[in-house]
């Protein structure tokens, strides 16, 4: 019985020691970057062309698109926002003139908000 109780205490202590590491892993990678833009005059065909260009790529994904607001959000695991921007911008500029592209500084949250506002008009 004493051994079982000792084993239980050791397991509880181990769990308490490992708990902060588990929470940190679940909180997401702090280096993950999102690059959100508004493209004036964005069409479904533009979005589809971008998705086609991204097909098969591991380094960049289109994670959110809202045609009514002209909003696109690109992301890449374990990369900074600047790296995501450097990868996404050439693809965007091939589809839309630079003057039509405006960065949304709030990232995904701003993109979703802009989409909601556009749909409510």
């Amino acid at each position: 019985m004493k051994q079982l109780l000792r084993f239980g205490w050791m397991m509880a202590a181990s769990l308490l020691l490992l708990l902060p590491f588990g929470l940190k892993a679940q909180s997401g990678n702090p280096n993950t970057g999102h690059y959100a833009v508004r493209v004036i005059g964005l069409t479904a065909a533009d979005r589809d062309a971008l998705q086609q260009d991204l097909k098969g790529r591991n380094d960049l994904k289109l994670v959110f698109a809202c045609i009514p607001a002209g909003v696109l959000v690109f992301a890449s695991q374990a990369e900074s926002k600047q790296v995501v921007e450097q990868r996404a911008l050439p693809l965007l500029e091939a589809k839309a003139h630079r003057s039509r592209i405006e960065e949304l500084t709030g990232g995904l949250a701003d993109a979703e908000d802009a989409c909601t506002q556009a749909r409510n008009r």
Side-chain angles (χ1 to χ4, degrees):
M1 180 71 172
K2 249 185 176 177
Q3 286 180 338
L4 185 58
L5 186 60
R6 189 177 297 155
F7 178 74
W9 278 109
M10 286 181 3
M11 291 301 293
S14 298
L15 181 62
L16 288 175
L17 289 173
L18 295 175
L19 187 60
F21 295 110
L23 290 175
K24 198 178 280 184
Q26 289 179 355
S27 68
N29 187 339
N31 295 326
T32 301
H34 285 86
Y35 177 58
V37 295
R38 176 175 293 140
V39 180
I40 298 168
L42 181 72
T43 66
D46 294 333
R47 179 213 45 219
D48 294 344
L50 281 168
Q51 286 178 326
Q52 189 64 34
D53 290 346
L54 292 169
K55 197 176 255 185
R57 286 182 65 165
N58 305 359
D59 64 334
L60 187 64
K61 300 286 181 205
L62 181 62
V63 295
F64 182 81
C66 179
I67 303 303
V71 174
L72 301 169
V73 180
F74 297 89
S76 180
Q77 289 298 321
E79 299 290 353
S80 69
K81 178 185 166 237
Q82 289 77 19
V83 171
V84 176
E85 180 180 356
Q86 289 171 353
R87 291 179 182 161
L89 209 48
L91 293 172
L92 284 169
E93 289 175 341
K95 308 290 181 224
H97 191 270
R98 179 77 171 129
S99 64
R100 292 177 46 206
I101 302 168
E102 170 193 354
E103 182 178 350
L104 297 176
T105 57
L108 187 57
D110 272 4
E112 291 172 343
D113 187 44
C115 188
T116 301
Q117 289 177 15
R119 288 185 175 154
N120 288 338
R121 284 187 214 155

